[in-house]
Amino acid sequence: MNDGENKSGMKRRTMLKALASLPVAGLFSYELLKKSSYDIDKRNSVIKELGLDSIEFPVSDYGKTKPTGDLIRIGFIGFGTRATQLSKALGFIHPEEVTKMTKQNTLAGWLQQEYLNVAITGICDVFDLRAENGLATAENNIRPGGENAVKLPVKRYLTYQDMLADKDIDAVIIATPDHLHARIAIEATKAGKHVYCEKSVAHTEEELNELYATVKSSPIVFQLGHQITQSTVFQQAKEIVKKGILGKITLVETTSNRNTANGAWIRHLDADGKPKPGDETTIDWKQWLGHSPYVPFSTDRFYNWTKWFAYDTGMIGQLFTHEFDAVNQLLHIGIPKTATSSGGIYCWKDNREMPDSLHCTFEYPNHDLTLLYSGNLASSRNRGRVFMGRDASMELGNTIRVTVDRDSEKYKKAIQSGIIDTDSPMISFNPGAEQIDAVSSASTKYYASRGLTTTTVNGRPVDVTHLHLREWLKCIRNGGTTSANIEMAYQEGVACLMAHKSYIEKRQVVWDEVNMKII
Amino acid sequence: MERKIEYTKLQLVFLVLLRFSIGWHLLYEGVAKLMNPQWSASGFLKESQWILSGFARWIVSDPQILNAVDFLNTWGLIAIGLGLIFGLFSRAAAISGASLLFVYYLNCPPLTGIEYIRPSDGNNLVVDKTLIEAIALCVLALFPTSRITGLDALIPDFKTRKRKGEVY
């Protein structure tokens, strides 16, 4: 009996000791609940304070629909570096790229890219080597859509005129050097082809006006190559601006920051420092020059054309175009009243004409706004793209960070009560997240500042160029307006030509909106 | 079977406290990751610089592997944390916790000449808090307390009774 009592006493004691951790677990649960409700409360009050509680972000149909409509047969005019990126975004890569991507373990992900129901059926490049690359790319069967992807023969055209005359081409992608863009786009439109044209849209005012008039009077679908608007964060930025969270915006600062020879358009040498291939036997130099003044062939000009005024407007055409598009898509400011540019060749003192340090000021008195652009090719310090409002500023890159202004009247109470902290971004948007990340922790703040090269749609990483081409194809099939349509392209074209003219003539230039002329 | 370790009351109190605190810490690390849908080990792994950097890059390169690692990491931490707090399979929990922490340490050890962009927790040279926590878990594995205060106490009891033929 005694023995039994002892035993059960022992058991009870063992049981009690075994469960000694229960209070610890209880305390943990209590603290966890307290912490999570504190976080939720704080997040909710910030979101409410900023008026973000009623924001609805557009939901993309990406990956949820099957390609409908007819097959679109596409011709590439120009097949250099940008064209290989564009063809990849369309669903075509070179066999060598397949090997490379297999090694890098990225092929499977790319093959999941939405099948766009297109075939590249024509390649036109003045350089044989590039045309051959284009043919091999277009003919490669390893692509999204797998076995069901349409396979059509691919033809090389020696001139773009030949391609435009072919009724078996429905649409063209223009990825040539900039001085040829407008001329080819005008002729393509006249030939009834849909046009996807890389920036910059035009090299002269006359060509820009002609292109505008031609596209306006044609039923074709035009898209300028600005993929930034396709990113998920950009759609979110649109909502932030629409909601008036930033208050009155009077200053937008945009920048480009590069510090490499490649970034300064020195591209005629390969990785080993040897000249890249190409000579007059393999390159149709006369066709490459187009309407620009004759100069003897050189690999320098062929690869590094951005250095000369005859072919480009440098940072304005190559980099500021993206900045202008981003700002114009968000704020719809259109053509500036005046533009003033200054700069010089301060670092890359080779045979170039193009400045490597360039700063432009665009005034919009009718919108009470100044748009600044500052580009530098001798420092890669990231200066970002910032929209400055009286109540908050928004830094828009691959992520969005909104910081409340310490002197904001609108958020005064919330700042005083400590709900809003003005020393660090109060809300950040990450393309990977489908919700607002308010009062982000130190580490999320840190990661928000790091770049991402793709956007995320419905939880999948997607190339923004792919989305931009997809939008163009969708408009070709179903009608509708592309985001970088001819109106946007015209406004951007004028702003860029104004900035360039100002730099060349070393004076402020003015937009005469009555006569639609730069004076 | 194992030799039973005898502790003084004070030794037992502090060993158990150590077990509770490390368990608490790891459990919350896991729960916090679980509650933050944006969390991923990719930021940490991208910083990996020493002997495990190749391994870290391999994980980050494939979203599927990264997802699996994120999942295992989160639930691993939660399981280890619960194991330590409740004293259930405590030795296994301590050993796996030590191994996991040691992997963290090897990815980003504070060695002279290796610099990280991520803000570090205090001032560390060779030894950091992760390493200390890993070693403390080894100590806990060698000085088990879960059979005295923890659910493990019920397991040997069960085994002993089975041996004695009391349980059929």
Side-chain angles (χ1 to χ4, degrees):
Chain A
M1 235 5 234
N2 251 352
D3 209 32
E5 263 175 30
N6 261 349
K7 243 185 181 173
S8 70
M10 287 258 294
K11 259 189 214 163
R12 240 194 330 272
R13 266 206 303 281
T14 313
M15 203 56 148
L16 277 175
K17 280 182 173 175
L19 296 176
S21 45
L22 270 184
V24 180
L27 188 62
F28 181 89
S29 313
Y30 169 73
E31 288 292 334
L32 185 65
L33 281 177
K34 202 165 92 179
K35 166 103 173 96
S36 80
S37 85
Y38 172 82
D39 287 348
I40 291 169
D41 279 356
K42 186 152 188 206
R43 177 173 176 271
N44 286 347
S45 49
V46 170
I47 287 174
K48 211 171 149 216
E49 198 57 49
L50 294 178
L52 284 168
D53 47 347
S54 57
I55 266 196
E56 274 178 34
F57 293 122
V59 178
S60 169
D61 62 352
Y62 188 80
K64 291 177 182 162
T65 54
K66 288 207 164 136
T68 50
D70 296 334
L71 171 83
I72 296 173
R73 296 162 302 177
I74 291 175
F76 264 86
I77 304 175
F79 208 86
T81 312
R82 183 60 193 153
T84 58
Q85 295 162 352
L86 287 160
S87 60
K88 187 174 178 181
L90 271 184
F92 298 82
I93 52 174
H94 194 276
E96 279 175 17
E97 185 70 11
V98 174
T99 321
K100 212 171 112 191
M101 288 173 75
T102 311
K103 262 190 210 150
Q104 291 170 345
N105 218 354
T106 52
L107 186 69
W110 176 75
L111 284 171
Q112 283 169 22
Q113 182 176 283
E114 196 177 283
Y115 172 62
L116 296 176
N117 196 21
V118 294
I120 301 177
T121 55
I123 300 286
C124 174
D125 198 288
V126 297
F127 185 13
D128 293 340
L129 187 74
R130 285 184 172 173
E132 281 153 23
N133 274 341
L135 292 174
T137 302
E139 283 164 354
N140 190 3
N141 285 336
I142 300 174
R143 45 181 293 211
E147 287 302 303
N148 301 325
V150 179
K151 294 170 191 74
L152 290 179
V154 190
K155 192 176 161 189
R156 179 181 176 188
Y157 300 85
L158 290 177
T159 67
Y160 72 84
Q161 289 92 344
D162 287 350
M163 182 187 275
L164 296 180
D166 192 336
K167 59 174 180 21
D168 289 336
I169 297 276
D170 304 314
V172 292
I173 292 179
I174 303 167
T176 61
D178 289 13
H179 66 294
L180 302 166
H181 286 172
R183 179 56 32 213
I184 299 174
I186 291 164
E187 289 183 37
T189 307
K190 284 181 178 162
K193 314 290 185 201
H194 300 288
V195 174
Y196 182 101
C197 183
E198 268 304 313
K199 46 82 199 172
S200 55
V201 62
H203 197 52
T204 66
E205 212 179 332
E206 294 70 40
E207 277 183 341
L208 180 62
N209 289 332
E210 189 185 342
L211 176 66
Y212 179 70
T214 314
V215 174
K216 283 298 269 185
S217 59
S218 157
I220 66 117
V221 177
F222 180 91
Q223 174 93 298
L224 191 63
H226 286 307
Q227 57 280 7
I228 183 173
T229 48
Q230 303 294 340
S231 86
T232 305
V233 288
F234 193 87
Q235 304 299 331
Q236 294 167 336
K238 242 181 182 164
E239 290 300 313
I240 293 179
V241 169
K242 214 163 84 185
K243 202 85 193 161
I245 287 164
L246 307 182
K248 184 180 168 77
I249 301 167
T250 63
L251 181 61
V252 179
E253 199 175 70
T254 63
T255 62
S256 302
N257 313 283
R258 288 178 170 186
N259 194 14
T260 61
N262 188 295
W265 314 300
I266 300 168
R267 297 171 179 176
H268 62 295
L269 301 175
D270 63 16
D272 303 321
K274 290 191 190 117
K276 284 187 185 166
D279 54 40
E280 273 190 283
T281 61
T282 53
I283 293 171
D284 182 348
W285 185 237
K286 218 179 130 223
Q287 202 190 159
W288 187 93
L289 285 171
H291 290 300
S292 64
Y294 178 81
V295 284
F297 173 83
S298 74
T299 45
D300 189 12
R301 267 183 202 258
F302 180 73
Y303 284 103
N304 309 333
W305 45 268
T306 311
K307 298 196 305 189
W308 288 276
F309 293 146
Y311 321 114
D312 202 36
T313 53
M315 276 190 269
I316 296 170
Q318 297 287 324
L319 304 168
F320 169 68
T321 42
H322 285 307
E323 300 304 317
F324 182 87
D325 180 60
V327 177
N328 199 25
Q329 296 276 358
L330 273 184
L331 305 179
H332 299 285
I333 48 177
I335 299 170
K337 182 67 194 158
T338 64
T340 321
S341 305
S342 69
I345 304 166
Y346 299 145
C347 175
W348 304 95
K349 293 178 191 284
D350 47 16
N351 52 358
R352 73 180 59 212
E353 295 169 332
M354 214 59 85
D356 55 26
S357 184
L358 179 76
H359 316 281
C360 315
T361 312
F362 303 87
E363 297 299 343
Y364 289 86
N366 53 339
H367 291 283
D368 296 337
L369 180 119
T370 303
L371 168 62
L372 287 180
Y373 171 71
S374 172
N376 190 285
L377 298 181
S379 167
S380 58
R381 183 191 159 88
N382 182 20
R383 294 174 292 165
R385 180 191 297 130
V386 190
F387 295 74
M388 279 160 269
R390 290 209 69 190
D391 296 310
S393 61
M394 172 173 75
E395 197 175 340
L396 172 64
N398 292 321
T399 58
I400 300 174
R401 289 187 296 165
V402 176
T403 309
V404 171
D405 196 281
R406 65 168 177 265
D407 296 320
S408 160
E409 280 295 322
K410 188 171 165 187
Y411 306 123
K412 200 172 179 177
K413 263 170 74 185
I415 296 168
Q416 277 169 357
S417 66
I419 294 175
I420 288 179
D421 168 18
T422 57
D423 291 334
S424 53
M426 276 323 282
I427 43 176
S428 67
F429 291 78
N430 188 312
E434 280 167 12
Q435 59 162 356
I436 302 159
D437 180 18
V439 242
S440 43
S441 69
S443 64
T444 45
K445 266 177 208 157
Y446 165 80
Y447 292 122
S449 66
R450 316 299 290 174
L452 291 163
T453 51
T454 52
T455 189
T456 306
V457 184
N458 300 332
R460 285 164 61 176
V462 184
D463 176 6
V464 283
T465 302
H466 165 71
L467 293 175
H468 202 49
L469 285 159
R470 179 178 176 267
E471 183 194 80
W472 175 57
L473 297 167
K474 214 172 161 185
C475 292
I476 293 175
R477 290 191 176 110
N478 312 328
T481 321
T482 52
S483 51
N485 59 25
I486 191 65
E487 294 294 343
M488 300 301 270
Y490 181 71
Q491 293 166 4
E492 175 186 315
V494 173
C496 288
L497 290 172
M498 283 172 77
H500 186 59
K501 196 178 172 83
S502 169
Y503 177 77
I504 301 278
E505 298 180 9
K506 306 213 176 309
R507 66 176 180 91
Q508 187 183 59
V509 298
V510 180
W511 174 242
D512 175 354
E513 56 186 320
V514 180
N515 300 309
M516 307 275 274
K517 246 178 91 82
I518 302 172
I519 49 174
Chain B
M1 284 312 288
E2 242 167 63
R3 194 165 51 88
K4 205 176 168 200
I5 304 178
E6 298 277 347
Y7 299 119
T8 67
K9 229 175 206 168
L10 215 53
Q11 282 171 336
L12 184 66
V13 165
F14 279 96
L15 279 171
V16 170
L17 273 180
L18 183 63
R19 204 185 83 204
F20 282 163
S21 7
I22 297 182
W24 182 298
H25 176 224
L26 297 187
L27 176 60
Y28 185 64
E29 278 285 4
V31 171
K33 288 171 174 57
L34 189 68
M35 292 190 340
N36 178 2
Q38 289 178 52
W39 177 83
S40 164
S42 73
F44 173 78
L45 291 169
K46 276 179 188 156
E47 280 266 73
S48 177
Q49 289 197 37
W50 205 41
I51 49 171
L52 290 185
S53 62
F55 170 67
R57 265 199 300 280
W58 173 74
I59 295 176
V60 177
S61 73
D62 188 332
Q64 275 176 336
I65 300 175
L66 183 65
N67 276 342
V69 166
D70 284 348
F71 178 84
L72 289 174
N73 198 3
T74 305
W75 287 101
L77 283 166
I78 291 175
I80 292 166
L82 287 174
L84 289 172
I85 290 180
F86 283 107
L88 182 65
F89 308 121
S90 205
R91 173 165 283 180
I95 293 169
S96 23
S99 323
L100 190 63
L101 289 169
F102 203 57
V103 171
Y104 294 166
Y105 170 79
L106 288 182
N107 267 297
C108 295
L111 304 180
T112 306
I114 301 183
E115 290 182 18
Y116 301 99
I117 313 166
R118 268 160 60 96
S120 78
D121 181 14
N123 299 303
N124 302 308
L125 178 66
V126 185
V127 173
D128 65 7
K129 285 163 197 162
T130 309
L131 182 66
I132 296 171
E133 198 170 19
I135 295 171
L137 278 175
C138 296
V139 171
L140 285 182
L142 293 169
F143 294 88
T145 52
S146 60
R147 284 177 200 171
I148 307 166
T149 56
L151 293 178
D152 281 342
L154 305 176
I155 296 169
D157 187 35
F158 181 79
K159 275 185 187 164
T160 327
R161 281 168 64 203
K162 197 171 179 184
R163 219 179 22 249
K164 283 183 183 166
E166 289 171 18
V167 176
Y168 302 98

